Protein backbone atom coordinates (compact mmCIF):
# COMPACT_ATOMS: atom_id res chain seq x y z
CA UNK A 1 0.00 0.00 0.00
CA UNK A 2 1.43 3.42 -0.90
CA UNK A 3 2.26 5.66 2.08
CA UNK A 4 0.02 8.55 3.11
CA UNK A 5 2.06 11.74 2.63
CA UNK A 6 -0.06 14.50 4.15
CA UNK A 7 -3.21 14.98 6.19
CA UNK A 8 -6.32 16.27 4.46
CA UNK A 9 -6.95 19.95 3.95
CA UNK A 10 -7.92 21.73 7.18
CA UNK A 11 -11.45 22.87 7.87
CA UNK A 12 -12.31 26.50 7.21
CA UNK A 13 -12.31 27.06 10.97
CA UNK A 14 -10.20 25.67 13.79
CA UNK A 15 -11.41 22.83 15.95
CA UNK A 16 -10.57 23.05 19.63
CA UNK A 17 -7.10 21.83 20.51
CA UNK A 18 -8.67 19.27 22.84
CA UNK A 19 -10.02 17.17 19.97
CA UNK A 20 -8.80 13.63 19.30
CA UNK A 21 -7.81 12.59 15.80
CA UNK A 22 -8.13 9.16 14.19
CA UNK A 23 -6.96 8.16 10.71
CA UNK A 24 -7.61 5.26 8.40
CA UNK A 25 -6.20 4.65 4.91
CA UNK A 26 -7.29 1.84 2.64
CA UNK A 27 -7.45 0.80 -0.99
CA UNK A 28 -10.28 2.37 -2.96
CA UNK A 29 -12.43 -0.73 -3.35
CA UNK A 30 -16.05 -1.81 -3.23
CA UNK A 31 -15.50 -2.69 0.46
CA UNK A 32 -14.09 0.70 1.50
CA UNK A 33 -17.45 2.29 2.36
CA UNK A 34 -18.38 -0.56 4.72
CA UNK A 35 -14.96 -0.58 6.37
CA UNK A 36 -15.04 3.18 6.97
CA UNK A 37 -18.69 3.11 8.05
CA UNK A 38 -17.89 0.46 10.69
CA UNK A 39 -14.72 2.30 11.79
CA UNK A 40 -16.54 5.61 12.32
CA UNK A 41 -19.54 3.93 13.97
CA UNK A 42 -17.40 2.01 16.46
CA UNK A 43 -15.31 5.09 17.19
CA UNK A 44 -18.32 7.29 17.98
CA UNK A 45 -20.37 4.68 19.82
CA UNK A 46 -17.54 4.09 22.29
CA UNK A 47 -17.06 7.80 23.00
CA UNK A 48 -19.07 10.84 23.98
CA UNK A 49 -20.85 11.13 20.61
CA UNK A 50 -22.88 7.93 20.41
CA UNK A 51 -25.86 10.01 19.28
CA UNK A 52 -23.98 11.06 16.14
CA UNK A 53 -22.84 7.56 15.16
CA UNK A 54 -25.68 6.76 12.74
CA UNK A 55 -25.54 10.12 10.95
CA UNK A 56 -21.75 9.92 10.73
CA UNK A 57 -21.91 6.37 9.36
CA UNK A 58 -24.38 7.42 6.67
CA UNK A 59 -22.47 10.56 5.65
CA UNK A 60 -19.05 8.89 5.51
CA UNK A 61 -20.50 5.94 3.59
CA UNK A 62 -21.94 8.31 0.97
CA UNK A 63 -18.70 10.23 0.57
CA UNK A 64 -16.48 7.12 0.38
CA UNK A 65 -18.91 5.51 -2.10
CA UNK A 66 -18.51 8.61 -4.28
CA UNK A 67 -14.75 8.12 -4.26
CA UNK A 68 -15.19 4.52 -5.40
CA UNK A 69 -17.81 5.30 -8.06
CA UNK A 70 -16.36 8.51 -9.48
CA UNK A 71 -12.56 8.37 -9.16
CA UNK A 72 -9.60 6.23 -10.06
CA UNK A 73 -7.80 7.05 -6.82
CA UNK A 74 -5.82 4.11 -5.45
CA UNK A 75 -6.35 5.13 -1.82
CA UNK A 76 -9.10 6.56 0.35
CA UNK A 77 -7.88 8.36 3.46
CA UNK A 78 -10.23 9.22 6.28
CA UNK A 79 -9.52 11.45 9.25
CA UNK A 80 -12.02 11.75 12.11
CA UNK A 81 -11.62 14.62 14.57
CA UNK A 82 -13.67 14.24 17.73
CA UNK A 83 -14.13 17.41 19.73
CA UNK A 84 -16.16 18.13 22.83
CA UNK A 85 -19.19 19.44 20.90
CA UNK A 86 -18.67 18.18 17.35
CA UNK A 87 -17.27 15.51 15.10
CA UNK A 88 -15.49 16.40 11.87
CA UNK A 89 -14.65 13.92 9.11
CA UNK A 90 -12.32 14.37 6.11
CA UNK A 91 -12.38 11.91 3.19
CA UNK A 92 -9.43 12.42 0.84
CA UNK A 93 -8.57 10.84 -2.50
CA UNK A 94 -5.99 11.41 -5.25
CA UNK A 95 -8.41 12.17 -8.08
CA UNK A 96 -7.87 15.42 -9.94
CA UNK A 97 -11.42 15.79 -11.28
CA UNK A 98 -13.85 18.56 -10.37
CA UNK A 99 -14.98 19.15 -6.81
CA UNK A 100 -18.27 17.43 -5.98
CA UNK A 101 -21.56 19.31 -5.87
CA UNK A 102 -25.01 18.10 -4.86
CA UNK A 103 -27.45 17.52 -7.71
CA UNK A 104 -29.73 20.41 -8.54
CA UNK A 105 -32.45 18.04 -9.74
CA UNK A 106 -32.33 14.96 -7.47
CA UNK A 107 -35.11 12.99 -9.15
CA UNK A 108 -32.64 10.72 -11.01
CA UNK A 109 -31.59 7.20 -10.05
CA UNK A 110 -28.48 8.13 -8.10
CA UNK A 111 -26.46 11.08 -7.00
CA UNK A 112 -28.28 11.94 -3.80
CA UNK A 113 -25.34 11.23 -1.48
CA UNK A 114 -24.25 14.83 -1.06
CA UNK A 115 -27.87 15.86 -0.50
CA UNK A 116 -27.92 13.40 2.40
CA UNK A 117 -24.68 14.88 3.75
CA UNK A 118 -26.06 18.39 3.30
CA UNK A 119 -29.20 17.44 5.24
CA UNK A 120 -27.42 15.80 8.17
CA UNK A 121 -24.23 17.82 8.60
CA UNK A 122 -23.96 21.16 10.37
CA UNK A 123 -21.55 22.12 7.57
CA UNK A 124 -19.65 20.43 4.77
CA UNK A 125 -17.45 21.29 1.85
CA UNK A 126 -14.68 20.18 -0.47
CA UNK A 127 -11.28 21.40 -1.54
CA UNK A 128 -8.20 20.42 -3.49
CA UNK A 129 -4.58 20.54 -2.45
CA UNK A 130 -1.26 19.81 -4.11
CA UNK A 131 0.89 17.47 -2.03
CA UNK A 132 4.36 16.86 -3.45
CA UNK A 133 3.77 15.77 -7.06
CA UNK A 134 0.11 14.84 -6.68
CA UNK A 135 -3.14 16.67 -6.22
CA UNK A 136 -5.64 15.51 -3.59
CA UNK A 137 -9.33 16.20 -3.20
CA UNK A 138 -11.03 16.28 0.20
CA UNK A 139 -14.69 16.24 1.11
CA UNK A 140 -15.33 17.09 4.75
CA UNK A 141 -18.35 17.39 7.00
CA UNK A 142 -19.04 18.41 10.58
CA UNK A 143 -21.75 16.89 12.78
CA UNK A 144 -22.94 18.41 16.05
CA UNK A 145 -25.21 17.09 18.76
CA UNK A 146 -28.73 18.44 18.45
CA UNK A 147 -29.68 20.48 21.47
CA UNK A 148 -32.24 18.56 23.48
CA UNK A 149 -35.48 20.44 23.85
CA UNK A 150 -36.92 20.41 27.37
CA UNK A 151 -39.97 18.24 27.83
CA UNK A 152 -43.11 20.29 28.42
CA UNK A 153 -44.78 20.07 31.82
CA UNK A 154 -48.01 18.05 31.71
CA UNK A 155 -51.15 20.12 31.98
CA UNK A 156 -53.29 19.52 35.08
CA UNK A 157 -55.93 16.85 34.53
CA UNK A 158 -54.14 15.14 31.64
CA UNK A 159 -53.35 11.44 31.51
CA UNK A 160 -49.66 12.14 32.20
CA UNK A 161 -50.66 14.14 35.30
CA UNK A 162 -52.76 11.22 36.55
CA UNK A 163 -49.85 8.79 36.36
CA UNK A 164 -47.62 10.87 38.63
CA UNK A 165 -47.72 9.29 42.07
CA UNK A 166 -50.06 6.55 40.85
CA UNK A 167 -51.08 3.75 43.17
CA UNK A 168 -49.29 0.43 43.34
CA UNK A 169 -49.88 -1.95 40.43
CA UNK A 170 -53.07 -3.94 40.89
CA UNK A 171 -54.87 -1.34 43.03
CA UNK A 172 -57.83 0.53 41.58
CA UNK A 173 -57.34 4.11 42.74
CA UNK A 174 -58.77 7.04 40.80
CA UNK A 175 -56.87 10.33 40.97
CA UNK A 176 -59.94 12.07 42.47
CA UNK A 177 -60.80 9.29 44.96
CA UNK A 178 -60.52 9.80 48.70
CA UNK A 179 -57.49 8.18 50.33
CA UNK A 180 -58.00 4.66 51.72
CA UNK A 181 -58.18 4.37 55.50
CA UNK A 182 -54.96 3.32 57.21
CA UNK A 183 -54.84 -0.31 58.40
CA UNK A 184 -55.02 -0.91 62.19
Amino acid sequence: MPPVFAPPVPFPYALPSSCEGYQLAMPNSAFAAKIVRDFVGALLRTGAHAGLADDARLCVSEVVSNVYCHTRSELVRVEVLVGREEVAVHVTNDHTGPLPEPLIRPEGEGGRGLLVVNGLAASWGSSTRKVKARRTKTVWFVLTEAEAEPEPEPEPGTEADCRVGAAEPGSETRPDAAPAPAPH
Side-chain angles (χ1 to χ4, degrees):
M1 179 183 336
V4 176
F5 295 108
V9 177
F11 291 110
Y13 61 91
L15 283 174
S17 60
S18 62
C19 74
E20 297 175 353
Y22 303 87
Q23 296 180 346
L24 178 65
M26 75 204 73
N28 183 15
S29 72
F31 304 107
K34 181 189 180 341
I35 292 167
V36 173
R37 185 173 55 240
D38 292 346
F39 168 71
V40 170
L43 178 66
L44 296 181
R45 283 194 181 102
T46 59
H49 294 295
L52 295 177
D54 289 339
D55 287 352
R57 284 172 43 99
L58 182 55
C59 289
V60 79
S61 182
E62 292 293 348
V63 175
V64 172
S65 292
N66 282 349
V67 172
Y68 177 69
C69 292
H70 302 294
T71 77
R72 297 196 194 294
S73 179
E74 290 183 27
L75 280 179
V76 178
R77 291 178 298 286
V78 177
E79 182 176 27
V80 182
L81 301 171
V82 181
R84 174 178 271 156
E85 297 177 5
E86 61 192 10
V87 174
V89 179
H90 289 96
V91 176
T92 301
N93 68 77
D94 298 326
H95 185 67
T96 59
L99 293 174
E101 293 181 27
L103 291 177
I104 295 170
R105 296 178 45 188
E107 52 281 334
E109 279 294 309
R112 292 186 191 91
L114 290 177
L115 291 174
V116 170
V117 173
N118 188 56
L120 294 174
S123 60
W124 74 277
S126 60
S127 60
T128 60
R129 179 178 178 189
K130 187 169 183 174
V131 179
K132 297 199 180 197
R134 66 188 172 124
R135 183 164 291 288
T136 64
K137 181 174 20 182
T138 299
V139 175
W140 58 266
F141 59 89
V142 177
L143 298 170
T144 57
E145 298 281 351
E147 292 185 23
E149 293 188 22
E151 290 190 31
E153 293 290 323
E155 293 182 30
T158 63
E159 185 178 323
D161 185 46
C162 295
R163 279 188 250 130
V164 175
E168 291 294 315
S171 66
E172 297 290 330
T173 304
R174 295 189 343 241
D176 59 345
H184 298 321

